[in-house]
Amino acid sequence: MFAYYFKLALRSFRRNKVLTALMVLAIALGIGAAMTTLTVFKVLSGDPIPHKSDRLFYVQLDPYTRDGYKPGEEPEWQLTRFDAEELLRQKKAPRQAMMSGGGGIVDPRLDALKPFSVGARYTSADFFPMFDTPFQYGQGWSGNEDTGHARVAVISRTLNEKLFKGANSVGREVLFEGHPLRIVGVLDAWSPRPQFYDLFSGRYDRQEDVFVPFSTSRDLRLDRNGNMNCFGREIVNDATALNVPCSWIQYWVELDSAGDAAAFKAYLDNYSDQQRAAGRFERPANTRLRNVMEWLDVRGVVPGDVRLQMWLAFGFLLVCLVNTVGLLLAKFLRRSGEIGVRRALGASRGEIFKQCLVEAGTIGLAGGLLGLLFALGGLWAVRQRPAEYASLAHLDGSMLLLTFALAIVASLLAGMLPAWRAMQVAPALQLKSQ
């Protein structure tokens, strides 16, 4: 029966080519705009570590001076080195990691390859199990190597292929900023987007190839990058020193369950009170403990203009559907005579309704195909923009299927009213007029 309705639809399209083309184009434009903006929104708003994002929490304290204090205001985004090392030493969470972005020069010690710069991360041992980093060879370092300031490193798969042609390099050395570091692990392909664990060094386009214990990075005075806020009253010579009032370190904890967050926040409040009593903090306890998705939201990882563009695009799709309703209504009512004859020959109202819906769905399928081309063109245009997330704007399999599903559903919805109106045609009146 469907094949029969489809054949009738194709015959109808040939009789009204211009009208059919207008409907296909209207749906295609709406689908193309909607899928372009929806794909960008999905890229930016996705959960980067969905299986444990509710158990990973970002820690904030407020070590700022009393100047300009307003109760309830947002505390410092990052921690001072003293506070990060003290929280790490107290180890009140099952897993916890302090970190900062960095970079330097790797000397391959090969005649065929010149020294080159790489991104780096200075962190502590729990970083790797906390964020489920996959390993191709070896593993991360241990807490003992943190406290022992060991000259070790974990390198990326990309760097391993460049230096050692992909071979197992565990136990060998990488020369980073002139310092030989023993390789203890090689990461497999791993590149969370956004780079949620550090939103201060680059959210989407940062590549990190060398991971070094934080304690070692300070011994070797390796270059760091990212935001830093110094708020003390004295002149700072070395902003990365232990007791300097400068916030520049990100701190994450992993708890056994989301329900443990209240107890850990109480610990942070108590820690703040202790530091205030010791004279380090000047403000009342003002701490924050946000899980991954809350942290991404408060940091505005999804720009407001992206949300606005998405809603405008879906509004445009709605306008296209309203226009399609009008065109379908005009198309079906122009065939009132044909419909009346079919009704007189025994076709039921339900059959007329089904036939009209098949026509609308076929138009939607054609609009989806053309809309897919528009969406691919729109995403290509997004990738040409200077935005740091632009390179990630690609249509994946799920969005491809959604494109066709949205096109067909939208066209069927648009065809409901015209189909219902067409099945109400009275055969007697149409035969009399004929």
Side-chain angles (χ1 to χ4, degrees):
M1 185 62 72
F2 176 81
Y4 173 68
Y5 291 149
F6 184 70
K7 185 183 297 184
L8 291 177
L10 293 180
R11 184 181 301 171
S12 173
F13 296 158
R14 285 194 294 267
R15 289 201 303 264
N16 301 277
K17 295 179 181 178
V18 175
L19 197 59
T20 300
L22 286 174
M23 289 186 288
V24 170
L25 182 60
I27 290 177
L29 288 172
I31 293 296
M35 295 312 300
T36 297
T37 56
L38 184 60
T39 300
V40 174
F41 181 80
K42 180 190 175 187
V43 167
L44 299 183
S45 63
D47 189 339
I49 186 167
H51 61 287
K52 59 165 40 177
S53 60
D54 62 332
R55 296 188 288 113
L56 292 175
F57 293 88
Y58 186 78
V59 174
Q60 290 174 259
L61 302 175
D62 195 353
Y64 209 75
T65 61
R66 187 77 187 185
D67 300 339
Y69 170 66
K70 297 178 181 178
E73 67 180 337
E74 189 71 28
E76 282 292 298
W77 293 117
Q78 301 177 95
L79 301 189
T80 66
R81 179 180 170 184
F82 179 93
D83 292 319
E85 292 193 2
E86 182 61 20
L87 292 181
L88 193 71
R89 185 190 66 79
Q90 293 186 14
K91 198 170 177 57
K92 295 297 183 179
R95 287 174 177 163
Q96 48 193 4
M98 60 183 293
M99 67 193 76
S100 177
I105 303 297
V106 167
D107 186 348
R109 292 183 280 192
L110 297 171
D111 294 337
L113 199 60
K114 295 181 179 180
F116 54 90
S117 62
V118 297
R121 177 137 305 266
Y122 314 137
T123 185
S124 51
D126 283 347
F127 176 91
F128 304 103
M130 276 180 65
F131 300 122
D132 292 341
T133 57
F135 278 87
Q136 184 180 21
Y137 304 114
Q139 59 188 3
W141 60 82
S142 68
N144 290 334
E145 288 167 308
D146 274 332
T147 56
H149 300 227
R151 302 288 179 92
V152 296
V154 169
I155 65 174
S156 70
R157 180 173 182 168
T158 302
L159 183 59
N160 189 58
E161 290 176 349
K162 197 168 186 177
L163 296 179
F164 306 106
K165 298 183 179 180
N168 186 350
S169 58
V170 172
R172 302 178 70 174
E173 289 185 344
V174 57
L175 195 62
F176 182 62
E177 285 292 285
H179 305 287
L181 302 174
R182 178 172 54 88
I183 299 172
V184 296
V186 177
L187 292 181
D188 209 336
W190 183 69
S191 182
R193 293 293 184 268
Q195 187 177 287
F196 65 96
Y197 55 84
D198 181 0
L199 298 177
F200 303 95
S201 300
R203 299 181 176 187
Y204 297 97
D205 55 356
R206 177 173 169 79
Q207 175 67 35
E208 295 176 337
D209 293 305
V210 178
F211 296 77
V212 180
F214 184 89
S215 55
T216 303
S217 75
R218 294 306 90 215
D219 288 348
L220 302 179
R221 303 184 69 82
L222 300 177
D223 288 339
R224 58 159 298 278
N225 56 35
N227 293 355
M228 174 183 281
N229 182 28
C230 296
F231 47 83
R233 298 181 177 89
E234 67 274 8
I235 297 176
V236 175
N237 293 319
D238 180 7
T240 65
L242 178 61
N243 292 308
V244 171
C246 294
S247 300
W248 57 285
I249 296 173
Q250 305 91 47
Y251 199 91
W252 286 87
V253 298
E254 179 183 345
L255 304 180
D256 292 329
S257 70
D260 294 337
F264 192 84
K265 188 176 185 305
Y267 155 72
L268 294 177
D269 290 339
N270 183 57
Y271 173 84
S272 295
D273 290 337
Q274 291 175 355
Q275 296 303 313
R276 187 184 182 197
R280 287 192 62 249
F281 288 7
E282 298 182 14
R283 299 184 175 190
N286 181 25
T287 65
R288 299 288 188 277
L289 191 66
R290 295 182 169 105
N291 65 31
V292 172
M293 297 309 292
E294 291 170 342
W295 178 238
L296 294 180
D297 182 60
V298 76
R299 290 297 297 167
V301 170
V302 181
D305 62 333
V306 171
R307 294 181 186 272
L308 179 60
Q309 289 168 8
M310 184 183 69
W311 289 118
L312 288 176
F314 275 91
F316 177 66
L317 174 60
L318 181 60
V319 171
C320 292
L321 291 181
V322 171
N323 287 328
T324 303
V325 170
L327 293 172
L328 283 172
L329 192 58
K331 178 181 175 65
F332 293 160
L333 292 183
R334 284 177 58 183
R335 293 161 47 199
S336 296
E338 174 191 333
I339 294 172
V341 172
R342 288 197 61 209
R343 288 292 315 281
L345 292 176
S348 66
R349 289 183 175 182
E351 289 176 337
I352 299 298
F353 186 79
K354 292 175 185 177
Q355 177 191 339
C356 293
L357 281 188
V358 169
E359 285 194 32
T362 305
I363 290 171
L365 181 60
L369 287 169
L370 184 57
L372 175 62
L373 295 178
F374 288 156
L376 292 174
L379 292 173
W380 176 86
V382 171
R383 291 194 294 274
Q384 310 314 306
R385 296 176 56 191
E388 60 178 343
Y389 60 80
S391 62
L392 303 177
H394 291 275
L395 201 66
D396 59 20
S398 62
M399 299 304 288
L400 181 65
L401 293 175
L402 183 59
T403 299
F404 290 105
L406 183 60
I408 293 173
V409 170
S411 61
L412 289 177
L413 291 175
M416 286 287 185
L417 176 60
W420 179 84
R421 183 66 183 84
M423 79 177 189
Q424 302 299 321
V425 170
L429 292 176
Q430 294 303 318
L431 292 175
K432 184 177 179 181
S433 64
Q434 293 294 326

